[in-house]
Amino acid sequence: MSGPLSRFRRRLRGAALAAVLVGAGLAALPAPAAGAATLALTQYVNPFIGTDNSNSPNPVPGGAGGSTYPGAVVPFGMTQFSPDTPTGSPSGYRYSDTSIEEFSLTHFNGAGCPNNEDLGLLPITGAIGTSPGTGWTGYAGRYTKANESAAPGYYKNKLDNYNTTVELSATQRSGSMKLTYPNTTTARLLVNTGRSATGNRNGSIAISGSQLTGTVTGGGFCGSSKTYQIFYVVQFDRAPSGFGTWLGGTVSAGSASTSGTNSGGYVTFDTSSNTTVQAKVGISFVSLANAQANLAAENPGFDFAGVRAAADTSWNTILNRVQVTGGAAADLQKFYTALYHVFQNPNIASDTNGQYRGFDQAIHTATHTVYQNYSGWDIYRSWAALIGLVAPNEASDIAKSMVLDGQQGGLLPKWSHNNNEHFVMTGDPGPIVVGSMYAFGVRGFDTAAALTLMDKSSNGGAAQGQAIRGRQSGYVSRHYVTEDPSDSLEYSASDFAVAQFAKAVGDTTKYNTYMQRAQWWQNVYGTDSGYIQPRGSTGTFAWPVVPSSNSGYTEGNPSQYTWMVPYNYQGLINLMGGAKTAVQRLDHHFTQLNGGLTQPYFYIGNEPEHGVPWAYNYAAHPQGTSSAVRRVMNESFTTGAGGEPGNDDLGATSAWYVFAALGMYPATPGADVLALHGPLFPAVSIIRPSGTIQINGSGAGQGSQYVQSLSVNGTATTKSWIRYGDIAGASTLNYTMGSSPSAWGTNAADVPPSYNDGFTPPAAAPNLGTNLAQGKAATGSASCASSEGAANAVDGSLMNNSKFCTTAATKFLQVDLGSAQNVSSFVVEHAGLGGETTAWNTGAFTIQTSTDGTNWTTVASVTGSRASRTYHPITARSARYVKLNITTAANDGNGAARIYEFEVHG
């Protein structure tokens, strides 16, 4: 293969596991359990995956690619030392670029807005002409792709125009840089203290021998005016031969200090006899003294090889928390790269002395590691449960940190950058993140304080002076949000998580209150349209609904958001008309896998739909889940630079892939339910302090995605789900996998649980049994196109725009059941269920039956309809022929009748 994968494989040939070096200052990470061999897993990580655009046809802004970065970082590291390229926004780096503007110390893994890129360093040779303060990009280094490589904790490249090789590595709170210049007296390192991804701000630099110190100001995430300050120290392995500073357009050779906007400095080295210069950078969000202490503790010497080896070992140790064996090389690479991305965020915010800057902007001291940076709307859906499952000790400190954020800033963080809340995206995700981690066994944090903060958000609370639930009053008074139906679902999803958390910690009153609110999801489900849709303050639903339109929804459309009721799929499926219709709609939804914002199809590149493949399990059709999940894994995730289908969003998209490969998914955020679909690999060991979870997949692999049988801890089960408690200790899941669907999980009793406390659930949909019309001979009036004939209405499918369409003056559809049958009901699926505007749903029609095809009896008559699905029970009668006569083609006056399915049931 060409591109990053081929170079990646060449680089990894013969890779060996390095020993942990105490001098690098890396925090101790738990080793695999006793008896489990440590595997060499960093060889499977390709940091270039996700660094360029995916194939999504209409992604969210900034969401065309994974927005990952290839630079050096250790698990949860404060520093992310990585190159920044001209078109790399929002992540800083784009694989298809061939020049580098700087190597900076801070980056987000996969956020959708420009961010970070603080303290840019750039090695050059030659004279300094135009001030870097006004002409920074003119100094960019050009490079040849063949010279670029990356591995966990390491990045290397050569700047061709400067004939200089750059190598980067990192510890938790520092970066190491090895520069190999040509033989020259003008080898320089530019240090930009005034530039970041979101604009130019105040900075400072002081040069004293072989040490540089100062500050940089960052911030402005997603348009925010909030900023933060980073203190830094740069040390070199030898004294420079010269130095200077710049401020704006003025360069001052020999100047040892400056400060202000568009500021920076440079040092010069004579590399005539020694071409290698080593530099190391320590940072802190607290003070210069702490930056120096961090550097001294973690990176005391100038041992670049040692720092690199220790970074590799830290990654190898944490990746060994999940050991998979068997499987294709590409699958191993996708899996371990995804797991690598999962462990990059949140980031350590506390210094080696325990100090950190809190959400009250004050300096605090903690006895545990403090973390910051949460993309709450993204990570609550699967990342939170995964981090609880595979990194419970770190998750405990993460939960503690989130509670500290709430106590110091007002509420649990929503979308925070360092010590600032930025209120990006919608809903109230903090309670779901904390609740999901708790549901997956995370303890050791103040649960009473956490519940108080959750409750506070719903009762006028604010974070740093602003409400997270800005639409709460209207939500409580009307029981839905008028401005945005997707926001209404987000509030209800958070309420569900609060309810489950309250129940777990023994607060029955709050459980009852929040479960009642959680069920308000039904108030934005339009029974006529069959979709989640906008609803006005008077209770009127907007009409028509265009399933593919993202107008009025947060990064999605009606087709996509309709499935975002994961804690009550039973209620949703009953409102849709039952499991069979739900499966048809899901099949239609998976016509495309990464459809973007304006297609009525699945969109793996954005988080609201991440759990939708497992909706099939709730409809007792797990083969649909298995098929959809494997298709997404194979088609939307690749080993190329565009190998992530959308923003990684601080590990959210990667967490989806990890769970998909494990054969389970936390389908109900805030609860402990894992929906099952079977593993990709023959053997998986999840090594945890409480015991190893062993997942065995006999026959597992590509082309073998269907569960044939399952036993959990030695007991056979046909249920397509388990609870976390089933695997909390040492446990074993034994699957038999196959290439064809089986009966496993297909009984009504096998489906995962839905939660019906708090309201009267929708009535159970009738079990209609076999569709007598499916596959039978069908005729009709002249079709709109040759591909839209009568047979499409009896093929049992909504996929691929399979419909009967006619504009004839007399419009009819007739089905021959083949022999006289006992019929008792009919279902007509109209344009809306096929992803077209509900304005085109049939307005008026009759249904007739006949035993001879000549004499007809009208058994159902409908006028003034606008529903996307209509159900017509009748008194049972014998019929061989059934006819649908359409008198009003569409409820908006359109002249074409569109029938996606015409079902006949006995």
Side-chain angles (χ1 to χ4, degrees):
M1 300 179 69
S2 61
L5 176 56
S6 60
R7 283 191 295 281
F8 166 76
R9 282 175 171 162
R10 290 197 298 270
R11 171 180 58 75
L12 290 176
R13 197 169 290 128
L17 178 62
V20 175
L21 297 182
V22 175
L26 296 176
L29 294 169
T38 299
L39 306 179
L41 299 178
T42 53
Q43 65 178 305
Y44 299 116
V45 176
N46 179 358
F48 292 112
I49 290 176
T51 59
D52 222 321
N53 287 349
S54 71
N55 59 0
S56 179
N58 184 25
V60 299
S67 293
T68 60
Y69 61 86
V73 65
V74 296
F76 307 109
M78 181 185 288
T79 60
Q80 309 86 36
F81 206 177
S82 189
D84 300 321
T85 67
T87 68
S89 181
S91 66
Y93 173 92
R94 185 182 304 280
Y95 183 80
S96 53
D97 285 342
T98 54
S99 67
I100 292 174
E101 296 179 342
E102 75 266 320
F103 302 90
S104 61
L105 270 293
T106 60
H107 295 83
F108 271 159
N109 168 40
C113 292
N115 60 86
N116 293 294
E117 299 177 42
D118 301 306
L119 191 62
L121 309 179
L122 181 66
I124 68 167
T125 58
I128 295 179
T130 302
S131 171
T134 53
W136 180 259
T137 57
Y139 289 91
R142 298 185 299 275
Y143 72 96
T144 303
K145 278 292 173 183
N147 293 329
E148 183 180 41
S149 61
Y154 178 71
Y155 175 85
K156 182 180 181 179
N157 209 337
K158 181 180 180 181
L159 305 183
D160 294 335
N161 49 327
Y162 299 123
N163 193 25
T164 297
T165 297
V166 181
E167 296 176 80
L168 308 177
S169 192
T171 72
Q172 288 181 337
R173 300 169 181 86
S174 78
S176 284
M177 193 175 206
K178 181 180 178 181
L179 304 172
T180 305
Y181 291 100
N183 294 323
T184 179
T185 59
T186 60
R188 309 185 197 275
L189 182 67
L190 308 182
V191 181
N192 197 325
T193 61
R195 182 177 189 263
S196 73
T198 56
N200 299 336
R201 298 182 180 84
N202 189 65
S204 68
I205 188 169
I207 304 171
S208 177
S210 60
Q211 178 170 282
L212 316 180
T213 57
T215 62
V216 296
T217 303
F221 182 64
C222 278
S224 171
S225 61
K226 294 180 180 180
T227 60
Y228 54 84
Q229 192 171 52
I230 296 177
F231 301 86
Y232 70 88
V233 56
V234 183
Q235 295 177 354
F236 300 96
D237 65 348
R238 57 170 143 156
S241 57
F243 56 85
T245 64
W246 67 80
L247 183 62
T250 301
V251 178
S252 301
S255 168
S257 65
T258 191
S259 64
T261 304
N262 297 322
S263 65
Y266 65 91
V267 288
T268 304
F269 296 93
D270 183 345
T271 58
S272 300
S273 59
N274 179 4
T275 59
T276 300
V277 176
Q278 289 197 56
K280 57 184 181 179
V281 188
I283 68 171
S284 167
F285 294 92
V286 173
S287 68
L288 177 57
N290 280 14
Q292 292 170 321
N294 288 343
L295 187 61
E298 294 185 2
N299 206 338
F302 288 95
D303 182 6
F304 183 87
V307 171
R308 176 187 175 185
D312 178 86
T313 299
S314 70
W315 275 115
N316 204 70
T317 300
I318 200 167
L319 293 175
N320 266 272
R321 306 272 184 92
V322 186
Q323 297 182 345
V324 302
T325 54
D331 293 330
L332 288 167
Q333 186 179 153
K334 288 193 286 185
F335 179 82
Y336 278 110
T337 302
L339 193 59
Y340 165 78
H341 285 142
V342 164
F343 289 132
Q344 287 186 12
N345 296 101
N347 303 109
I348 293 170
S350 53
D351 294 325
T352 53
N353 64 1
Q355 289 187 326
Y356 67 98
R357 191 175 299 274
F359 273 53
D360 55 2
Q361 311 306 315
I363 305 304
H364 302 268
T365 302
T367 57
H368 62 87
T369 302
V370 174
Y371 296 86
Q372 292 175 351
N373 297 331
Y374 303 100
S375 57
W377 186 79
D378 309 289
I379 63 173
Y380 84 69
R381 303 168 201 271
S382 59
W383 180 91
L386 182 62
I387 211 71
L389 186 68
V390 302
N393 294 333
E394 290 86 351
S396 176
D397 284 346
I398 290 168
K400 289 178 186 176
S401 300
M402 294 183 70
V403 172
L404 284 177
D405 295 343
Q407 291 173 323
Q408 296 161 6
L411 296 173
L412 294 173
K414 180 178 184 178
W415 213 128
S416 61
H417 186 187
N418 297 327
N419 57 322
N420 290 320
E421 177 56 65
H422 289 289
F423 305 96
V424 178
M425 303 309 297
T426 187
D428 186 12
I432 315 179
V433 174
V434 173
S436 290
M437 288 192 292
Y438 186 89
F440 279 80
V442 175
R443 300 294 185 267
F445 65 99
D446 189 337
T447 56
L451 183 58
T452 296
L453 290 166
M454 294 176 185
D455 188 53
K456 182 180 177 183
S457 187
S458 297
N459 291 282
Q464 296 182 341
Q466 182 177 335
I468 283 179
R469 290 192 175 212
R471 295 166 172 169
Q472 179 72 6
S473 61
Y475 172 71
V476 172
S477 64
R478 288 184 298 266
H479 298 185
Y480 59 91
V481 172
T482 60
E483 297 88 346
D484 181 344
S486 51
D487 208 10
S488 198
L489 291 183
E490 294 287 356
Y491 281 24
S492 296
S494 186
D495 288 340
F496 172 79
V498 175
Q500 298 307 306
F501 186 73
K503 183 178 182 180
V505 300
D507 194 326
T508 303
T509 299
K510 286 188 177 66
Y511 170 74
N512 291 333
T513 296
Y514 282 95
M515 270 309 296
Q516 187 176 42
R517 292 179 180 182
Q519 305 296 0
W520 292 348
W521 66 269
Q522 189 177 342
N523 296 328
V524 287
Y525 180 87
T527 54
D528 276 350
S529 69
Y531 290 96
I532 295 294
Q533 65 178 102
R535 189 175 185 183
S537 58
T538 63
T540 303
F541 283 100
W543 196 266
V545 174
V546 180
S548 60
S549 173
N550 67 323
S551 178
Y553 296 78
T554 300
E555 295 188 359
N557 58 46
S559 181
Q560 293 160 358
Y561 267 104
T562 293
W563 299 101
M564 212 195 89
V565 193
Y567 55 88
N568 206 334
Y569 274 133
Q570 178 190 61
L572 179 67
I573 289 170
N574 283 331
L575 287 175
M576 287 182 170
K580 182 174 183 178
T581 297
V583 169
Q584 289 177 327
R585 293 188 62 174
L586 286 166
D587 288 346
H588 173 268
H589 198 57
F590 285 97
T591 297
Q592 291 185 23
L593 301 181
N594 203 21
L597 296 180
T598 57
Q599 296 288 337
Y601 305 123
F602 183 67
Y603 182 17
I604 183 58
N606 207 24
E607 282 74 16
E609 285 215 284
H610 276 191
V612 176
W614 290 270
Y616 280 108
N617 279 26
Y618 291 78
H621 193 71
Q623 69 190 63
T625 293
S626 297
S627 175
V629 170
R630 193 60 61 89
R631 284 179 58 210
V632 173
M633 293 176 73
N634 288 341
E635 297 174 31
S636 297
F637 290 83
T638 74
T639 57
E644 286 206 33
N647 289 162
D648 201 49
D649 285 317
L650 280 63
T653 303
S654 289
W656 186 97
Y657 187 91
V658 170
F659 267 126
L662 296 179
M664 57 179 68
Y665 190 82
T668 312
D672 62 352
V673 173
L674 287 161
L676 306 176
H677 60 279
L680 172 63
F681 299 101
V684 178
S685 298
I686 304 174
I687 300 168
R688 310 175 71 243
S690 59
T692 296
I693 303 169
Q694 186 64 40
I695 304 171
N696 299 315
S698 176
Q702 290 294 346
S704 187
Q705 66 262 42
Y706 299 106
V707 178
Q708 308 297 301
S709 63
L710 167 66
S711 69
V712 179
N713 298 324
T715 301
T717 180
T718 58
K719 295 185 182 300
S720 64
W721 61 282
I722 55 174
R723 294 193 183 276
Y724 165 75
D726 297 325
I727 56 172
S731 52
T732 303
L733 280 68
N734 284 321
Y735 289 90
T736 300
M737 304 297 293
S739 59
S740 301
S742 71
W744 177 83
T746 57
N747 293 319
D750 294 333
V751 305
S754 291
Y755 296 78
N756 282 310
D757 285 357
F759 81 140
T760 301
N767 184 358
L768 302 178
T770 303
N771 175 11
L772 303 175
Q774 185 170 331
K776 299 299 172 61
T779 56
S781 46
S783 60
C784 301
S786 59
S787 61
E788 297 176 331
N792 291 340
V794 293
D795 63 0
S797 174
L798 303 174
M799 293 183 69
N800 301 315
N801 204 33
S802 176
K803 66 185 175 190
F804 167 58
C805 176
T806 180
T807 56
T810 301
K811 302 175 178 66
F812 74 93
L813 172 67
Q814 182 175 320
V815 183
D816 180 356
L817 302 181
S819 63
Q821 305 283 329
N822 196 49
V823 300
S824 59
S825 65
F826 311 91
V827 172
V828 186
E829 295 177 353
H830 306 272
L833 289 201
E836 300 186 277
T837 174
T838 59
W840 293 346
N841 289 341
T842 317
F845 55 91
T846 62
I847 298 174
Q848 296 180 309
T849 63
S850 173
T851 56
D852 58 10
T854 301
N855 300 296
W856 295 91
T857 301
T858 300
V859 294
S861 182
V862 177
T863 59
S865 178
R866 64 178 195 176
S868 296
R869 178 188 186 272
T870 54
Y871 168 58
H872 311 278
I874 64 170
T875 301
R877 58 185 297 114
S878 178
R880 174 173 176 173
Y881 303 95
V882 181
K883 182 187 291 187
L884 180 69
N885 300 296
I886 301 164
T887 52
T888 302
N891 63 77
D892 72 343
N894 188 282
R898 300 164 178 86
I899 304 298
Y900 273 78
E901 281 298 304
F902 181 37
E903 299 178 1
V904 180
H905 297 278

